[in-house]
């Protein structure tokens, strides 16, 4: 009887330890939204999370391709991403980038690390391109399938190209342009309708400094946080800093121009 009691106690102890291990494992495996993917099971290429993409972009450890048409890319893309032309002869509904162009960019390196993204969970462009890349012999293809909508939602800014600026000026009358230069420079001349948020007055954190003031006085569109906001400055560094501060205030469509003010003015010319 005593041996049975001892055995039972050991068994209970084992169960307790095993259960504790499971609980610890479950706790450790809890992921944040920054670490989340769609976890689709029927895809030939793996997904990466927003956290992983940020690290890849910081380390420049892979070539990141925006799988959308050029005009979409030019208007708003993840900083550091590249874009290539469309595969000849495809319809817009089945749009896919040209693998031959990617091969040219990568100089024929089929083992190159590649990350693809497009317009989020329901977008098929990155999936179609991933399939074609695998068929062409590429061996290291991954997808950021939650895409640019989630990138923006998690406070990620985007970059706008000169072609995109001209498109916005011509087509989007609701867009808000933010001049990140100093107030004196702004008063000396900016673009029509631009609003001033000087870099020197923007503070780290949320609801502080000049960004908070801009929310209160109408410089930022508080009644429609999906409004397109484009930030330019004396340098690309100050434009990006102000854009990132605005994005942290839950504005979901913030882009910056990655060049100086004179180049921004040049981009406005036909």
């Amino acid at each position: 009887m005593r041996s049975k009691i001892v055995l039972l106690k050991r068994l209970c102890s084992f169960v307790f330890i095993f259960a504790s291990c499971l609980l610890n494992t479950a706790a450790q495996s809890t992921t944040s939204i920054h670490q989340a993917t769609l976890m689709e099971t029927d895809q030939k290429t793996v997904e990466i999370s927003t956290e992983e993409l940020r690290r890849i972009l910081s380390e420049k450890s892979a070539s990141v391709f925006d799988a959308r048409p050029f005009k979409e890319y030019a208007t708003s893309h993840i900083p550091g991403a590249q874009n290539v032309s469309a595969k000849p002869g495809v319809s817009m509904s089945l749009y896919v980038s040209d693998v031959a162009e990617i091969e040219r960019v990568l100089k024929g390196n089929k083992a190159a690390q590649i990350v693809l993204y497009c317009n989020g969970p329901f977008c098929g462009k990155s999936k179609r391109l991933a399939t074609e890349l695998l068929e062409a012999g590429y061996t290291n293809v991954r997808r950021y399938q939650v895409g640019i909508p989630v990138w923006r939602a998690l406070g990620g800014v985007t970059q706008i190209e000169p072609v995109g600026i001209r498109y916005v000026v011509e087509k989007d009358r609701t867009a808000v342009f933010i001049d990140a230069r100093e107030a004196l420079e702004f008063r000396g001349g900016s673009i029509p309708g631009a609003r001033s948020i000087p870099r020197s007055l923007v503070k780290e954190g949320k609801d502080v400094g000049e960004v908070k003031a801009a929310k209160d006085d109408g410089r930022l569109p508080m009644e429609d946080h999906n409004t397109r906001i484009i930030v330019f400055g004396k340098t690309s560094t100050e434009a990006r800093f102000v854009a990132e501060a605005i994005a942290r205030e839950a504005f979901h469509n913030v882009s910056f121009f990655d060049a100086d003010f004179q180049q921004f003015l040049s981009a406005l010319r036909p």
Side-chain angles (χ1 to χ4, degrees):
M1 176 64 73
R2 181 176 298 177
S3 61
K4 288 183 178 180
I5 293 174
V6 171
L7 181 61
L8 183 59
K9 285 182 177 180
R10 288 179 178 175
L11 181 59
C12 289
S13 177
F14 174 78
V15 170
F16 176 79
I17 293 171
F18 182 69
S20 297
C21 289
L22 286 178
L23 288 172
N24 288 335
T25 301
Q28 292 171 4
S29 66
T30 299
T31 57
S32 74
I33 191 170
H34 298 274
Q35 300 163 326
T37 66
L38 292 183
M39 297 196 303
E40 295 176 301
T41 59
D42 59 344
Q43 299 298 314
K44 295 179 180 179
T45 50
V46 299
E47 294 181 64
I48 65 168
S49 66
T50 305
E51 182 178 277
E52 290 173 302
L53 179 59
R54 288 186 184 279
R55 184 174 66 251
I56 287 167
L57 289 168
S58 174
E59 297 172 352
K60 298 181 179 179
S61 56
S63 294
V64 179
F65 288 96
D66 185 318
R68 302 174 301 158
F70 173 71
K71 189 173 287 185
E72 253 190 312
Y73 167 86
T75 304
S76 178
H77 65 83
I78 293 175
Q82 303 177 72
N83 183 257
V84 299
S85 57
K87 179 181 179 180
V90 296
S91 65
M92 188 56 74
S93 62
L94 294 176
Y95 182 94
V96 66
S97 303
D98 191 349
V99 171
E101 282 296 292
I102 290 179
E103 184 169 0
R104 179 184 60 78
V105 170
L106 298 178
K107 299 178 180 179
N109 181 9
K110 297 292 180 71
Q113 296 284 340
I114 298 171
V115 174
L116 311 173
Y117 76 87
C118 56
N119 284 319
F122 301 106
C123 181
K125 296 179 181 67
S126 57
K127 293 178 181 178
R128 288 193 289 273
L129 181 54
T131 297
E132 297 212 358
L133 285 168
L134 291 179
E135 291 173 350
Y138 287 87
T139 57
N140 290 302
V141 182
R142 291 170 289 173
R143 291 171 294 111
Y144 176 57
Q145 192 60 48
V146 293
I148 200 165
V150 172
W151 174 266
R152 288 184 179 131
L154 295 180
V157 295
T158 57
Q159 182 178 328
I160 189 167
E161 301 294 322
V163 172
I165 291 171
R166 290 193 290 274
Y167 175 80
V168 171
V169 169
E170 293 170 3
K171 302 291 185 180
D172 187 355
R173 303 300 179 188
T174 69
V176 172
F177 284 86
I178 300 295
D179 189 332
R181 297 176 302 152
E182 295 308 302
L184 185 62
E185 294 172 302
F186 176 76
R187 288 194 294 269
S190 188
I191 67 169
R195 305 170 188 184
S196 175
I197 301 182
R199 159 67 182 89
S200 63
L201 299 180
V202 175
K203 299 179 180 179
E204 296 282 358
K206 181 169 168 52
D207 285 326
V208 293
E210 193 70 0
V211 173
K212 180 181 186 299
K215 290 169 67 176
D216 290 332
D217 64 23
R219 280 175 286 165
L220 288 172
M222 290 298 290
E223 294 182 337
D224 186 358
H225 277 64
N226 291 308
T227 302
R228 190 193 306 273
I229 299 174
I230 297 170
V231 185
F232 60 92
K234 186 175 182 178
T235 66
S236 61
T237 301
E238 70 176 18
R240 182 166 186 166
F241 184 90
V242 173
E244 289 175 342
I246 293 171
R248 288 195 295 270
E249 301 295 334
F251 292 95
H252 305 142
N253 194 358
V254 186
S255 298
F256 71 95
F257 183 64
D258 191 30
D260 62 32
F261 180 62
Q262 292 304 317
Q263 289 172 291
F264 181 79
L265 292 178
S266 297
L268 292 171
R269 303 186 190 110

